[in-house]
C-alpha cells in the first residue's frame, strides 16, 4: 500500500474556486502545489499547508520550472481572467 500523498497542482489557487479546491485537497491529505499570478486573486485566500508559487500559466518558463520539480497526479486548472458584468 502506497502511503505517499498524491501531489496535485491547482492553478488559480488564490481565487474563489481555486482556494476551495486547494482546501478540499489538503483535507483529503494531498500535497498541494498552488499557483496564481495574483492578478485577480489574493494571497490570503490560499490555504495554509499549500506550497504557493506566484507565476502565470501563460509563462512557458514558469510552467516548465514547476513541472520539472514536481510529479503531479492531477492538475486542477482554474486560472482564468474573470470579467464579470
Amino acid at each position: 500500500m502506497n502511503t505517499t500523498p498524491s501531489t496535485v497542482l491547482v492553478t488559480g489557487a488564490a481565487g474563489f474556486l481555486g482556494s476551495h479546491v486547494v482546501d478540499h485537497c489538503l483535507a483529503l491529505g494531498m500535497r498541494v502545489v498552488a499557483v496564481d499570478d495574483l492578478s485577480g486573486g489574493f494571497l490570503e485566500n490560499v490555504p495554509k499547508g499549500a506550497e504557493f508559487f506566484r507565476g502565470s500559466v501563460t509563462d512557458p518558463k514558469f510552467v516548465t520550472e514547476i513541472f520539472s520539480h514536481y510529479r503531479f497526479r492531477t492538475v486542477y486548472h482554474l486560472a482564468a481572467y474573470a470579467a464579470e458584468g
Side-chain angles (χ1 to χ4, degrees):
M1 178 187 234
N2 185 359
T3 59
T4 304
S6 295
T7 301
V8 299
L9 171 64
V10 180
T11 68
F16 179 79
L17 292 176
S19 63
H20 282 82
V21 170
V22 170
D23 198 37
H24 186 70
C25 290
L26 289 170
L28 291 173
M30 297 175 181
R31 178 182 185 193
V32 179
V33 175
V35 168
D36 203 296
D37 67 2
L38 302 179
S39 64
F42 302 95
L43 185 57
E44 54 268 15
N45 289 348
V46 180
K48 301 281 187 250
E51 298 173 54
F52 178 76
F53 295 93
R54 184 176 182 172
S56 175
V57 297
T58 64
D59 178 352
K61 184 177 178 187
F62 175 75
V63 173
T64 299
E65 190 76 19
I66 290 290
F67 276 87
S68 71
H69 284 90
Y70 297 93
R71 186 171 184 91
F72 300 111
R73 179 179 176 118
T74 306
V75 175
Y76 297 97
H77 179 47
L78 302 167
Y81 173 71
E84 299 141 4

